[in-house]
Amino acid sequence: AEEEEGDVEWVVDTIAGFLRGPAWSIPILEFMEQKCEVFDDEEESKLSYTEIYQEYQALVEKLLEDYLKEVGINEEKFQEAFSSPLAKTHTSQAILQTVLAAEDFRLFKKMMVQKNIEMQLQAIRIIKERNGVLPDCLTEGSDVFSEIEQEEMKILREVLRKSKEEYEIEQERKRNEE
């Protein structure tokens, strides 16, 4: 039993190392950045989400299968190690989340919406850095905007502010867990 536990620990450590490394994180991050823009926080999911989700599942499966084959870990050992309590203590939730998202659509959608918000906030920050200020269309500018459009911008800014706050709270919670 002790040898088996050591075996599980080795599998968990090996997989955790892989999930933290560039062979996993780069393709996953690139996928998320390329596909996240269609995801929004609407209650109803779009058909395109399903197609992207299936692509994500295939990517995760291929990356994991290739790696497991490379290091000689069979599916059974992986499942055993992945569901062991060690997996939760040796890897952060953020790392596990990318794997679990392939099994849980709601988690996948949440992850993609969050990535979309991050990318939007990043774009706004870049615009501000390049121009020194945000363009009028992203501020209170009363140029060619109708009152309705201005109202929509206020709502959008409020949504972005709230989502940024929620994102920061979530990041703080993750840091505290680690």
Side-chain angles (χ1 to χ4, degrees):
E2 202 173 296
E3 188 181 309
E4 201 172 285
E5 202 172 289
D7 204 24
V8 167
E9 189 169 359
W10 175 82
V11 172
V12 168
D13 286 344
T14 302
I15 293 167
F18 171 66
L19 295 177
R20 283 191 190 95
W24 172 263
S25 56
I26 291 173
I28 294 293
L29 195 60
E30 281 178 353
F31 179 91
M32 288 170 63
E33 287 177 353
Q34 287 169 4
K35 308 283 183 175
C36 72
E37 67 194 31
V38 300
F39 287 81
D40 55 39
D41 225 355
E42 295 293 312
E43 200 61 44
E44 199 168 310
S45 291
K46 299 176 179 85
L47 181 63
S48 59
Y49 293 2
T50 307
E51 293 163 7
I52 294 170
Y53 180 55
Q54 288 166 346
E55 285 177 47
Y56 182 78
Q57 286 177 309
L59 174 66
V60 166
E61 200 172 302
K62 178 161 181 22
L63 289 172
L64 276 174
E65 266 177 22
D66 290 353
Y67 179 71
L68 295 176
K69 213 177 284 171
E70 189 183 305
V71 293
I73 298 171
N74 65 27
E75 179 78 25
E76 195 179 306
K77 275 200 168 115
F78 170 74
Q79 288 298 341
E80 183 187 337
F82 194 72
S83 57
S84 77
L86 274 172
K88 285 166 186 59
T89 57
H90 284 237
T91 55
S92 73
Q93 278 313 109
I95 291 169
L96 281 178
Q97 185 178 4
T98 56
V99 179
L100 295 172
E103 303 291 317
D104 180 348
F105 177 77
R106 285 192 317 264
L107 180 60
F108 171 75
K109 181 181 173 190
K110 184 179 157 201
M111 194 172 77
M112 293 300 273
V113 167
Q114 188 175 338
K115 178 51 77 180
N116 190 3
I117 291 167
E118 283 174 29
M119 304 263 306
Q120 287 177 28
L121 291 172
Q122 193 177 7
I124 289 171
R125 206 167 31 251
I126 290 168
I127 290 170
K128 200 171 181 177
E129 283 171 9
R130 285 201 179 135
N131 302 323
V133 290
L134 285 173
D136 287 345
C137 65
L138 291 175
T139 61
E140 298 294 341
S142 58
D143 47 352
V144 291
F145 265 20
S146 69
E147 282 182 37
I148 294 168
E149 288 169 317
Q150 286 183 12
E151 201 52 50
E152 287 175 351
M153 285 308 295
K154 281 181 187 170
I155 292 167
L156 179 62
R157 278 196 301 278
E158 186 59 29
V159 167
L160 280 172
R161 188 186 62 72
K162 272 210 172 8
S163 62
K164 183 175 185 236
E165 282 174 12
E166 288 170 9
Y167 171 70
E168 288 169 352
I169 290 167
E170 179 70 17
Q171 294 300 19
E172 184 62 36
R173 188 184 62 74
K174 285 178 186 171
R175 278 194 293 277
N176 291 337
E177 281 179 6
E178 288 175 14

